[in-house]
Amino acid sequence: MLFENNRIPKKNSLLDHGLGLVLISSVAWMALPLSVGWAQQTNESPPSPSQSDESESKELLEDKDSTENEDETVSSEQNAEAAQSDEESDTAGSQPDANAQQGEGEWGEFEEDWGDSQQNSGDSGGGIEELPFEFHGFVESLTAARVVKHRSTPSDLVSNEARFRLSLDASHDIASARFRGDIVADATTNNVFIDVRDASLFTQLTPWLSLRAGRQVLTWGTGDFVFLNDLFPKDFQSFFSGRRDEFLKAPANALRLSTNFSALNVDLVWLPIFAGDRFITGERFSFFNPMAGNIVGSGDPSVPVDPITPSHTLENGEFFGRIFSTIAGYEFALYGYAGFWKQPLSLDLAAMAQTYSRLAVYGSSVRGALLGGLFNLEGAFYHSHADNSGDDPTIPNSQVRALAGYEHELFTKFQAGVQYYLEYTLKHDELKANSMWSAYEQDELRHLLTLRLTYFLLQDNLELSAFTFFSPSDMDAYIRPRISYKWTDQLSTMIGANIMLGRDDFTFFGQLEQNSNVYANMRYSF
């Protein structure tokens, strides 16, 4: 899932005034664009009658296939990986399906550029255009302000930062290299840091086998902002602070082997050193601490959370595998993972500190065209084998997770997507009987619904979107409305909000209610 939660007692919340506000707010957010859209449609040519639902769905699927076959992305690419393509395309638009393609496709492009550069260099003898590499990047500012006052969050700002990105791409006959590095000046934490998001080499070992080695962003699976078999590290600090979607996926040092056959393919990824999620520590966002029985934030003795991490030995590395194929137009995939829970959900009683316990995940997915749209089904078994009996309250219990989704273009430039997610905790009775804070434990069955609405206007330069999470079992929600506009190919702006609601303080999104914020982002690409 998005991130794992702790639990705690009830309190009065915005949901007490009607949970329907959640969905109503989403609909209201879209009301303006819809009205504009219908008005605009009267002046536009209607969709071609020959453009049947079936052909539309096939086009969608072909787009996905193309993405799948080009090394780096699957469907979660609609959000995080899509945004990574934004980084690399020098444009700041955030259309989910505009993912830049990497891997082999990129390799071929680099080869062509490399040849051109060499030829130009010989002709003119210098200049940026003759360099044997490409460079680009962007400068970006972000400010996000809280809209809820709470004692645990004394700062009015969630984010106040400037970011400079430098991207370099180079290629040779036997390999290509890629670099994406950020320098970030963060006034919220009074910190300046470098975030290397990609520093990798790619080579085609054989006609059917390729290798990418180094720091890189990885993703696969079929969910939209909901991750079952994608156990690659995430950055939830970025997700809730108004940074662009690309930053939800955190980089990791990895080796990735990929086959390239027509019928069946395999991806194998090895992270020699465990890379956990960039989770909420309390410094920027407050959260519910079951040991304290309350919301804690900056200034609390337990903040920032400093968990015990697995030692940097090879036996603590992580292994990821995927076998996938396209049969009769449907994408099928099997997944496997061996490593640790990605967030410190376990408790070391001796040290009285949070830590990571062992985890294995087995899953599968299918995706294809249906009724003019695109559906996806995905399931996963989370085997918490450090606690097979389920009665150790310091280790998370095993779970079965399932996801069903469907997306469709309702009319020109207006896309809608819905998902249903189920999380079933095994041996829940044993967990509750032995828990140190049973009142805060998650329900045996957790349900989650999501709705994505996206509308493009003004020749796709204006994007209006809203993504809503709503859990009927937890009675909490998370709404992400956003407006982005591309002034030129280089300059873009984005404003939006992160609104978290919950009946209880200890639920998934309810614990973040006091972190709700509005933000503004501007990017200049070069």
PDB file of all heavy atoms in Angstrom, residues 72-73 77 79-91 98-100 102 106 138 165 178 180 197-198 216-219 245-247 249 523:
ATOM      1  N   GLU A  72      11.828   0.020 -18.228  1.00  0.00           N
ATOM      2  CA  GLU A  72      11.795   0.636 -16.918  1.00  0.00           C
ATOM      3  C   GLU A  72      10.443   0.646 -16.245  1.00  0.00           C
ATOM      4  O   GLU A  72      10.378   0.775 -15.035  1.00  0.00           O
ATOM      5  CB  GLU A  72      12.246   2.091 -17.039  1.00  0.00           C
ATOM      6  CG  GLU A  72      13.690   2.260 -17.423  1.00  0.00           C
ATOM      7  CD  GLU A  72      14.624   1.903 -16.308  1.00  0.00           C
ATOM      8  OE1 GLU A  72      14.181   1.848 -15.167  1.00  0.00           O
ATOM      9  OE2 GLU A  72      15.776   1.659 -16.586  1.00  0.00           O
ATOM     10  N   THR A  73       9.340   0.605 -16.953  1.00  0.00           N
ATOM     11  CA  THR A  73       8.103   0.956 -16.293  1.00  0.00           C
ATOM     12  C   THR A  73       6.982  -0.023 -16.523  1.00  0.00           C
ATOM     13  O   THR A  73       6.960  -0.761 -17.478  1.00  0.00           O
ATOM     14  CB  THR A  73       7.619   2.319 -16.785  1.00  0.00           C
ATOM     15  OG1 THR A  73       7.478   2.240 -18.180  1.00  0.00           O
ATOM     16  CG2 THR A  73       8.582   3.403 -16.440  1.00  0.00           C
ATOM     17  N   GLU A  77       3.814   3.434 -13.341  1.00  0.00           N
ATOM     18  CA  GLU A  77       4.412   4.474 -14.149  1.00  0.00           C
ATOM     19  C   GLU A  77       3.437   5.576 -14.426  1.00  0.00           C
ATOM     20  O   GLU A  77       3.817   6.673 -14.780  1.00  0.00           O
ATOM     21  CB  GLU A  77       4.854   3.887 -15.475  1.00  0.00           C
ATOM     22  CG  GLU A  77       3.893   2.931 -15.875  1.00  0.00           C
ATOM     23  CD  GLU A  77       4.249   1.790 -16.739  1.00  0.00           C
ATOM     24  OE1 GLU A  77       5.014   1.000 -16.307  1.00  0.00           O
ATOM     25  OE2 GLU A  77       3.732   1.699 -17.829  1.00  0.00           O
ATOM     26  N   ASN A  79       1.933   7.259 -12.493  1.00  0.00           N
ATOM     27  CA  ASN A  79       2.135   8.347 -11.569  1.00  0.00           C
ATOM     28  C   ASN A  79       3.614   8.622 -11.370  1.00  0.00           C
ATOM     29  O   ASN A  79       4.147   9.567 -11.961  1.00  0.00           O
ATOM     30  CB  ASN A  79       1.446   8.037 -10.230  1.00  0.00           C
ATOM     31  CG  ASN A  79       1.464   6.553  -9.932  1.00  0.00           C
ATOM     32  OD1 ASN A  79       2.517   6.004  -9.739  1.00  0.00           O
ATOM     33  ND2 ASN A  79       0.315   5.923  -9.961  1.00  0.00           N
ATOM     34  N   ALA A  80       4.278   7.796 -10.595  1.00  0.00           N
ATOM     35  CA  ALA A  80       5.651   8.123 -10.260  1.00  0.00           C
ATOM     36  C   ALA A  80       6.573   8.085 -11.450  1.00  0.00           C
ATOM     37  O   ALA A  80       7.316   9.029 -11.709  1.00  0.00           O
ATOM     38  CB  ALA A  80       6.159   7.159  -9.208  1.00  0.00           C
ATOM     39  N   GLU A  81       6.543   6.962 -12.229  1.00  0.00           N
ATOM     40  CA  GLU A  81       7.476   6.830 -13.327  1.00  0.00           C
ATOM     41  C   GLU A  81       7.147   7.799 -14.437  1.00  0.00           C
ATOM     42  O   GLU A  81       8.010   8.262 -15.152  1.00  0.00           O
ATOM     43  CB  GLU A  81       7.411   5.389 -13.834  1.00  0.00           C
ATOM     44  CG  GLU A  81       8.540   5.014 -14.743  1.00  0.00           C
ATOM     45  CD  GLU A  81       9.829   4.856 -14.016  1.00  0.00           C
ATOM     46  OE1 GLU A  81       9.839   4.862 -12.780  1.00  0.00           O
ATOM     47  OE2 GLU A  81      10.844   4.762 -14.687  1.00  0.00           O
ATOM     48  N   ALA A  82       5.856   8.101 -14.589  1.00  0.00           N
ATOM     49  CA  ALA A  82       5.473   9.088 -15.584  1.00  0.00           C
ATOM     50  C   ALA A  82       6.150  10.390 -15.302  1.00  0.00           C
ATOM     51  O   ALA A  82       6.616  11.082 -16.188  1.00  0.00           O
ATOM     52  CB  ALA A  82       3.974   9.287 -15.561  1.00  0.00           C
ATOM     53  N   ALA A  83       6.188  10.694 -14.046  1.00  0.00           N
ATOM     54  CA  ALA A  83       6.793  11.946 -13.702  1.00  0.00           C
ATOM     55  C   ALA A  83       8.274  11.921 -13.936  1.00  0.00           C
ATOM     56  O   ALA A  83       8.864  12.935 -14.266  1.00  0.00           O
ATOM     57  CB  ALA A  83       6.527  12.241 -12.259  1.00  0.00           C
ATOM     58  N   GLN A  84       8.871  10.744 -13.770  1.00  0.00           N
ATOM     59  CA  GLN A  84      10.292  10.694 -14.051  1.00  0.00           C
ATOM     60  C   GLN A  84      10.545  11.050 -15.499  1.00  0.00           C
ATOM     61  O   GLN A  84      11.542  11.666 -15.856  1.00  0.00           O
ATOM     62  CB  GLN A  84      10.829   9.295 -13.771  1.00  0.00           C
ATOM     63  CG  GLN A  84      12.342   9.273 -13.887  1.00  0.00           C
ATOM     64  CD  GLN A  84      12.903   7.895 -13.751  1.00  0.00           C
ATOM     65  OE1 GLN A  84      12.162   6.924 -13.696  1.00  0.00           O
ATOM     66  NE2 GLN A  84      14.191   7.791 -13.702  1.00  0.00           N
ATOM     67  N   SER A  85       9.620  10.667 -16.350  1.00  0.00           N
ATOM     68  CA  SER A  85       9.782  11.046 -17.738  1.00  0.00           C
ATOM     69  C   SER A  85       9.703  12.542 -17.900  1.00  0.00           C
ATOM     70  O   SER A  85      10.307  13.108 -18.805  1.00  0.00           O
ATOM     71  CB  SER A  85       8.727  10.368 -18.597  1.00  0.00           C
ATOM     72  OG  SER A  85       7.466  10.863 -18.327  1.00  0.00           O
ATOM     73  N   ASP A  86       8.930  13.199 -17.011  1.00  0.00           N
ATOM     74  CA  ASP A  86       8.898  14.651 -17.042  1.00  0.00           C
ATOM     75  C   ASP A  86      10.284  15.210 -16.820  1.00  0.00           C
ATOM     76  O   ASP A  86      10.711  16.160 -17.472  1.00  0.00           O
ATOM     77  CB  ASP A  86       7.972  15.185 -15.947  1.00  0.00           C
ATOM     78  CG  ASP A  86       6.519  14.996 -16.311  1.00  0.00           C
ATOM     79  OD1 ASP A  86       6.252  14.706 -17.485  1.00  0.00           O
ATOM     80  OD2 ASP A  86       5.693  15.139 -15.421  1.00  0.00           O
ATOM     81  N   GLU A  87      10.984  14.592 -15.861  1.00  0.00           N
ATOM     82  CA  GLU A  87      12.324  15.073 -15.567  1.00  0.00           C
ATOM     83  C   GLU A  87      13.179  15.035 -16.819  1.00  0.00           C
ATOM     84  O   GLU A  87      13.960  15.913 -17.101  1.00  0.00           O
ATOM     85  CB  GLU A  87      12.997  14.183 -14.525  1.00  0.00           C
ATOM     86  CG  GLU A  87      12.234  13.988 -13.272  1.00  0.00           C
ATOM     87  CD  GLU A  87      12.949  12.969 -12.407  1.00  0.00           C
ATOM     88  OE1 GLU A  87      14.180  12.987 -12.380  1.00  0.00           O
ATOM     89  OE2 GLU A  87      12.282  12.177 -11.777  1.00  0.00           O
ATOM     90  N   GLU A  88      13.021  13.935 -17.571  1.00  0.00           N
ATOM     91  CA  GLU A  88      13.946  13.684 -18.644  1.00  0.00           C
ATOM     92  C   GLU A  88      13.515  14.311 -19.951  1.00  0.00           C
ATOM     93  O   GLU A  88      14.261  14.355 -20.913  1.00  0.00           O
ATOM     94  CB  GLU A  88      14.102  12.180 -18.807  1.00  0.00           C
ATOM     95  CG  GLU A  88      14.687  11.580 -17.537  1.00  0.00           C
ATOM     96  CD  GLU A  88      14.586  10.083 -17.508  1.00  0.00           C
ATOM     97  OE1 GLU A  88      14.057   9.537 -18.493  1.00  0.00           O
ATOM     98  OE2 GLU A  88      15.049   9.481 -16.545  1.00  0.00           O
ATOM     99  N   SER A  89      12.312  14.777 -20.025  1.00  0.00           N
ATOM    100  CA  SER A  89      11.855  15.375 -21.268  1.00  0.00           C
ATOM    101  C   SER A  89      11.951  16.884 -21.272  1.00  0.00           C
ATOM    102  O   SER A  89      11.615  17.525 -22.247  1.00  0.00           O
ATOM    103  CB  SER A  89      10.405  14.970 -21.514  1.00  0.00           C
ATOM    104  OG  SER A  89       9.600  15.520 -20.510  1.00  0.00           O
ATOM    105  N   ASP A  90      12.378  17.429 -20.164  1.00  0.00           N
ATOM    106  CA  ASP A  90      12.547  18.875 -20.054  1.00  0.00           C
ATOM    107  C   ASP A  90      11.252  19.622 -20.079  1.00  0.00           C
ATOM    108  O   ASP A  90      11.229  20.836 -20.173  1.00  0.00           O
ATOM    109  CB  ASP A  90      13.454  19.428 -21.155  1.00  0.00           C
ATOM    110  CG  ASP A  90      14.877  19.032 -20.919  1.00  0.00           C
ATOM    111  OD1 ASP A  90      15.225  18.610 -19.814  1.00  0.00           O
ATOM    112  OD2 ASP A  90      15.660  19.144 -21.858  1.00  0.00           O
ATOM    113  N   THR A  91      10.182  18.966 -20.082  1.00  0.00           N
ATOM    114  CA  THR A  91       8.907  19.635 -20.003  1.00  0.00           C
ATOM    115  C   THR A  91       8.306  19.304 -18.673  1.00  0.00           C
ATOM    116  O   THR A  91       8.501  18.240 -18.131  1.00  0.00           O
ATOM    117  CB  THR A  91       7.966  19.179 -21.124  1.00  0.00           C
ATOM    118  OG1 THR A  91       7.767  17.790 -20.999  1.00  0.00           O
ATOM    119  CG2 THR A  91       8.562  19.512 -22.464  1.00  0.00           C
ATOM    120  N   ALA A  98       2.179  10.334 -20.534  1.00  0.00           N
ATOM    121  CA  ALA A  98       3.273  10.926 -21.288  1.00  0.00           C
ATOM    122  C   ALA A  98       4.609  10.435 -20.800  1.00  0.00           C
ATOM    123  O   ALA A  98       5.605  11.120 -20.883  1.00  0.00           O
ATOM    124  CB  ALA A  98       3.206  12.440 -21.184  1.00  0.00           C
ATOM    125  N   ASN A  99       4.642   9.214 -20.286  1.00  0.00           N
ATOM    126  CA  ASN A  99       5.884   8.699 -19.718  1.00  0.00           C
ATOM    127  C   ASN A  99       6.981   8.665 -20.756  1.00  0.00           C
ATOM    128  O   ASN A  99       6.831   8.166 -21.855  1.00  0.00           O
ATOM    129  CB  ASN A  99       5.681   7.267 -19.212  1.00  0.00           C
ATOM    130  CG  ASN A  99       4.694   7.225 -18.106  1.00  0.00           C
ATOM    131  OD1 ASN A  99       4.230   8.280 -17.671  1.00  0.00           O
ATOM    132  ND2 ASN A  99       4.369   6.051 -17.648  1.00  0.00           N
ATOM    133  N   ALA A 100       8.125   9.168 -20.343  1.00  0.00           N
ATOM    134  CA  ALA A 100       9.284   9.031 -21.205  1.00  0.00           C
ATOM    135  C   ALA A 100       9.745   7.592 -21.157  1.00  0.00           C
ATOM    136  O   ALA A 100       9.756   6.971 -20.123  1.00  0.00           O
ATOM    137  CB  ALA A 100      10.395   9.956 -20.736  1.00  0.00           C
ATOM    138  N   GLN A 102      12.487   4.647 -21.345  1.00  0.00           N
ATOM    139  CA  GLN A 102      13.897   4.513 -21.070  1.00  0.00           C
ATOM    140  C   GLN A 102      14.366   3.161 -21.581  1.00  0.00           C
ATOM    141  O   GLN A 102      13.678   2.456 -22.290  1.00  0.00           O
ATOM    142  CB  GLN A 102      14.141   4.636 -19.573  1.00  0.00           C
ATOM    143  CG  GLN A 102      13.545   5.917 -19.037  1.00  0.00           C
ATOM    144  CD  GLN A 102      13.624   5.956 -17.534  1.00  0.00           C
ATOM    145  OE1 GLN A 102      14.366   5.210 -16.922  1.00  0.00           O
ATOM    146  NE2 GLN A 102      12.879   6.848 -16.952  1.00  0.00           N
ATOM    147  N   GLU A 106      15.720   4.219 -25.248  1.00  0.00           N
ATOM    148  CA  GLU A 106      16.612   5.313 -24.936  1.00  0.00           C
ATOM    149  C   GLU A 106      18.003   5.010 -25.476  1.00  0.00           C
ATOM    150  O   GLU A 106      18.695   5.873 -25.971  1.00  0.00           O
ATOM    151  CB  GLU A 106      16.648   5.460 -23.412  1.00  0.00           C
ATOM    152  CG  GLU A 106      17.066   6.790 -22.958  1.00  0.00           C
ATOM    153  CD  GLU A 106      16.962   6.849 -21.459  1.00  0.00           C
ATOM    154  OE1 GLU A 106      17.523   5.996 -20.774  1.00  0.00           O
ATOM    155  OE2 GLU A 106      16.300   7.760 -20.990  1.00  0.00           O
ATOM    156  N   PHE A 138      16.556  21.261 -14.738  1.00  0.00           N
ATOM    157  CA  PHE A 138      15.532  22.246 -14.414  1.00  0.00           C
ATOM    158  C   PHE A 138      15.866  22.920 -13.091  1.00  0.00           C
ATOM    159  O   PHE A 138      16.684  22.429 -12.300  1.00  0.00           O
ATOM    160  CB  PHE A 138      14.140  21.616 -14.353  1.00  0.00           C
ATOM    161  CG  PHE A 138      13.967  20.528 -13.332  1.00  0.00           C
ATOM    162  CD1 PHE A 138      13.786  20.826 -11.978  1.00  0.00           C
ATOM    163  CD2 PHE A 138      13.959  19.194 -13.715  1.00  0.00           C
ATOM    164  CE1 PHE A 138      13.615  19.831 -11.040  1.00  0.00           C
ATOM    165  CE2 PHE A 138      13.792  18.178 -12.779  1.00  0.00           C
ATOM    166  CZ  PHE A 138      13.619  18.501 -11.445  1.00  0.00           C
ATOM    167  N   ARG A 165      18.274  20.646 -10.841  1.00  0.00           N
ATOM    168  CA  ARG A 165      18.499  19.304 -11.402  1.00  0.00           C
ATOM    169  C   ARG A 165      19.458  19.383 -12.579  1.00  0.00           C
ATOM    170  O   ARG A 165      19.293  20.222 -13.478  1.00  0.00           O
ATOM    171  CB  ARG A 165      17.167  18.717 -11.882  1.00  0.00           C
ATOM    172  CG  ARG A 165      17.243  17.585 -12.912  1.00  0.00           C
ATOM    173  CD  ARG A 165      17.783  16.281 -12.329  1.00  0.00           C
ATOM    174  NE  ARG A 165      16.988  15.860 -11.207  1.00  0.00           N
ATOM    175  CZ  ARG A 165      15.855  15.137 -11.316  1.00  0.00           C
ATOM    176  NH1 ARG A 165      15.424  14.783 -12.512  1.00  0.00           N
ATOM    177  NH2 ARG A 165      15.176  14.789 -10.250  1.00  0.00           N
ATOM    178  N   ARG A 178      23.875   7.358 -17.543  1.00  0.00           N
ATOM    179  CA  ARG A 178      22.815   8.310 -17.238  1.00  0.00           C
ATOM    180  C   ARG A 178      23.023   8.864 -15.831  1.00  0.00           C
ATOM    181  O   ARG A 178      23.367   8.113 -14.914  1.00  0.00           O
ATOM    182  CB  ARG A 178      21.463   7.594 -17.314  1.00  0.00           C
ATOM    183  CG  ARG A 178      20.254   8.497 -17.254  1.00  0.00           C
ATOM    184  CD  ARG A 178      18.996   7.726 -17.594  1.00  0.00           C
ATOM    185  NE  ARG A 178      18.689   6.695 -16.622  1.00  0.00           N
ATOM    186  CZ  ARG A 178      17.786   5.742 -16.809  1.00  0.00           C
ATOM    187  NH1 ARG A 178      17.134   5.680 -17.951  1.00  0.00           N
ATOM    188  NH2 ARG A 178      17.540   4.844 -15.870  1.00  0.00           N
ATOM    189  N   ARG A 180      21.216  11.727 -13.010  1.00  0.00           N
ATOM    190  CA  ARG A 180      20.199  12.688 -12.593  1.00  0.00           C
ATOM    191  C   ARG A 180      20.519  13.071 -11.150  1.00  0.00           C
ATOM    192  O   ARG A 180      20.366  12.250 -10.231  1.00  0.00           O
ATOM    193  CB  ARG A 180      18.789  12.082 -12.638  1.00  0.00           C
ATOM    194  CG  ARG A 180      18.392  11.462 -13.981  1.00  0.00           C
ATOM    195  CD  ARG A 180      18.062  12.527 -15.003  1.00  0.00           C
ATOM    196  NE  ARG A 180      17.600  11.934 -16.248  1.00  0.00           N
ATOM    197  CZ  ARG A 180      18.388  11.592 -17.261  1.00  0.00           C
ATOM    198  NH1 ARG A 180      19.709  11.781 -17.154  1.00  0.00           N
ATOM    199  NH2 ARG A 180      17.885  11.075 -18.359  1.00  0.00           N
ATOM    200  N   ARG A 197      19.526  10.825  -8.001  1.00  0.00           N
ATOM    201  CA  ARG A 197      18.393   9.959  -8.308  1.00  0.00           C
ATOM    202  C   ARG A 197      18.749   8.907  -9.359  1.00  0.00           C
ATOM    203  O   ARG A 197      18.072   7.888  -9.467  1.00  0.00           O
ATOM    204  CB  ARG A 197      17.200  10.797  -8.784  1.00  0.00           C
ATOM    205  CG  ARG A 197      16.697  11.755  -7.697  1.00  0.00           C
ATOM    206  CD  ARG A 197      15.432  12.458  -8.131  1.00  0.00           C
ATOM    207  NE  ARG A 197      14.354  11.536  -8.435  1.00  0.00           N
ATOM    208  CZ  ARG A 197      13.606  10.947  -7.512  1.00  0.00           C
ATOM    209  NH1 ARG A 197      13.828  11.169  -6.238  1.00  0.00           N
ATOM    210  NH2 ARG A 197      12.632  10.114  -7.869  1.00  0.00           N
ATOM    211  N   ASP A 198      19.770   9.168 -10.125  1.00  0.00           N
ATOM    212  CA  ASP A 198      20.180   8.173 -11.120  1.00  0.00           C
ATOM    213  C   ASP A 198      21.645   8.375 -11.439  1.00  0.00           C
ATOM    214  O   ASP A 198      22.068   9.494 -11.745  1.00  0.00           O
ATOM    215  CB  ASP A 198      19.337   8.317 -12.393  1.00  0.00           C
ATOM    216  CG  ASP A 198      19.384   7.075 -13.268  1.00  0.00           C
ATOM    217  OD1 ASP A 198      20.491   6.508 -13.420  1.00  0.00           O
ATOM    218  OD2 ASP A 198      18.344   6.678 -13.794  1.00  0.00           O
ATOM    219  N   GLN A 216      19.351   4.005  -9.411  1.00  0.00           N
ATOM    220  CA  GLN A 216      18.271   4.122 -10.385  1.00  0.00           C
ATOM    221  C   GLN A 216      16.924   4.080  -9.670  1.00  0.00           C
ATOM    222  O   GLN A 216      16.813   3.625  -8.533  1.00  0.00           O
ATOM    223  CB  GLN A 216      18.347   2.983 -11.411  1.00  0.00           C
ATOM    224  CG  GLN A 216      18.405   1.606 -10.789  1.00  0.00           C
ATOM    225  CD  GLN A 216      18.841   0.540 -11.795  1.00  0.00           C
ATOM    226  OE1 GLN A 216      18.135   0.266 -12.751  1.00  0.00           O
ATOM    227  NE2 GLN A 216      20.005  -0.069 -11.559  1.00  0.00           N
ATOM    228  N   VAL A 217      15.904   4.556 -10.369  1.00  0.00           N
ATOM    229  CA  VAL A 217      14.520   4.484  -9.881  1.00  0.00           C
ATOM    230  C   VAL A 217      13.849   3.299 -10.562  1.00  0.00           C
ATOM    231  O   VAL A 217      13.888   3.179 -11.782  1.00  0.00           O
ATOM    232  CB  VAL A 217      13.754   5.786 -10.178  1.00  0.00           C
ATOM    233  CG1 VAL A 217      12.290   5.645  -9.807  1.00  0.00           C
ATOM    234  CG2 VAL A 217      14.380   6.957  -9.414  1.00  0.00           C
ATOM    235  N   LEU A 218      13.229   2.435  -9.776  1.00  0.00           N
ATOM    236  CA  LEU A 218      12.640   1.209 -10.307  1.00  0.00           C
ATOM    237  C   LEU A 218      11.162   1.142  -9.961  1.00  0.00           C
ATOM    238  O   LEU A 218      10.738   1.617  -8.901  1.00  0.00           O
ATOM    239  CB  LEU A 218      13.353  -0.010  -9.709  1.00  0.00           C
ATOM    240  CG  LEU A 218      14.853  -0.126 -10.042  1.00  0.00           C
ATOM    241  CD1 LEU A 218      15.571  -0.935  -8.976  1.00  0.00           C
ATOM    242  CD2 LEU A 218      15.048  -0.758 -11.409  1.00  0.00           C
ATOM    243  N   THR A 219      10.405   0.517 -10.823  1.00  0.00           N
ATOM    244  CA  THR A 219       8.982   0.319 -10.524  1.00  0.00           C
ATOM    245  C   THR A 219       8.398  -0.749 -11.424  1.00  0.00           C
ATOM    246  O   THR A 219       8.882  -0.980 -12.529  1.00  0.00           O
ATOM    247  CB  THR A 219       8.200   1.639 -10.691  1.00  0.00           C
ATOM    248  OG1 THR A 219       6.886   1.484 -10.165  1.00  0.00           O
ATOM    249  CG2 THR A 219       8.114   2.065 -12.139  1.00  0.00           C
ATOM    250  N   ASP A 245       4.890  14.166  -8.761  1.00  0.00           N
ATOM    251  CA  ASP A 245       4.679  12.736  -8.579  1.00  0.00           C
ATOM    252  C   ASP A 245       5.949  11.919  -8.766  1.00  0.00           C
ATOM    253  O   ASP A 245       6.109  10.847  -8.177  1.00  0.00           O
ATOM    254  CB  ASP A 245       3.617  12.234  -9.567  1.00  0.00           C
ATOM    255  CG  ASP A 245       2.245  12.817  -9.277  1.00  0.00           C
ATOM    256  OD1 ASP A 245       2.066  13.391  -8.182  1.00  0.00           O
ATOM    257  OD2 ASP A 245       1.371  12.719 -10.156  1.00  0.00           O
ATOM    258  N   GLU A 246       6.855  12.412  -9.608  1.00  0.00           N
ATOM    259  CA  GLU A 246       8.071  11.662  -9.890  1.00  0.00           C
ATOM    260  C   GLU A 246       8.857  11.358  -8.620  1.00  0.00           C
ATOM    261  O   GLU A 246       9.584  10.371  -8.560  1.00  0.00           O
ATOM    262  CB  GLU A 246       8.950  12.460 -10.841  1.00  0.00           C
ATOM    263  CG  GLU A 246       9.505  13.744 -10.235  1.00  0.00           C
ATOM    264  CD  GLU A 246       9.820  14.807 -11.268  1.00  0.00           C
ATOM    265  OE1 GLU A 246       8.870  15.261 -11.915  1.00  0.00           O
ATOM    266  OE2 GLU A 246      10.974  15.159 -11.422  1.00  0.00           O
ATOM    267  N   PHE A 247       8.709  12.197  -7.601  1.00  0.00           N
ATOM    268  CA  PHE A 247       9.510  12.028  -6.393  1.00  0.00           C
ATOM    269  C   PHE A 247       8.903  11.020  -5.420  1.00  0.00           C
ATOM    270  O   PHE A 247       9.490  10.760  -4.372  1.00  0.00           O
ATOM    271  CB  PHE A 247       9.719  13.382  -5.711  1.00  0.00           C
ATOM    272  CG  PHE A 247      10.510  14.349  -6.548  1.00  0.00           C
ATOM    273  CD1 PHE A 247       9.888  15.430  -7.158  1.00  0.00           C
ATOM    274  CD2 PHE A 247      11.859  14.157  -6.760  1.00  0.00           C
ATOM    275  CE1 PHE A 247      10.608  16.310  -7.957  1.00  0.00           C
ATOM    276  CE2 PHE A 247      12.587  15.026  -7.539  1.00  0.00           C
ATOM    277  CZ  PHE A 247      11.964  16.107  -8.152  1.00  0.00           C
ATOM    278  N   LYS A 249       8.735   7.933  -6.066  1.00  0.00           N
ATOM    279  CA  LYS A 249       9.650   6.802  -6.146  1.00  0.00           C
ATOM    280  C   LYS A 249      11.046   7.255  -5.753  1.00  0.00           C
ATOM    281  O   LYS A 249      11.592   8.194  -6.334  1.00  0.00           O
ATOM    282  CB  LYS A 249       9.673   6.207  -7.551  1.00  0.00           C
ATOM    283  CG  LYS A 249       8.339   5.672  -8.037  1.00  0.00           C
ATOM    284  CD  LYS A 249       7.724   4.658  -7.061  1.00  0.00           C
ATOM    285  CE  LYS A 249       8.573   3.428  -6.880  1.00  0.00           C
ATOM    286  NZ  LYS A 249       8.453   2.477  -7.984  1.00  0.00           N
ATOM    287  N   ARG A 523       8.475  25.441 -12.250  1.00  0.00           N
ATOM    288  CA  ARG A 523       9.673  24.777 -12.787  1.00  0.00           C
ATOM    289  C   ARG A 523      10.079  25.406 -14.110  1.00  0.00           C
ATOM    290  O   ARG A 523       9.229  25.633 -14.980  1.00  0.00           O
ATOM    291  CB  ARG A 523       9.409  23.280 -12.980  1.00  0.00           C
ATOM    292  CG  ARG A 523      10.545  22.554 -13.676  1.00  0.00           C
ATOM    293  CD  ARG A 523      10.258  21.073 -13.869  1.00  0.00           C
ATOM    294  NE  ARG A 523      10.233  20.349 -12.603  1.00  0.00           N
ATOM    295  CZ  ARG A 523      10.140  19.024 -12.536  1.00  0.00           C
ATOM    296  NH1 ARG A 523      10.071  18.301 -13.639  1.00  0.00           N
ATOM    297  NH2 ARG A 523      10.121  18.423 -11.355  1.00  0.00           N
TER     298      ARG A 523
END
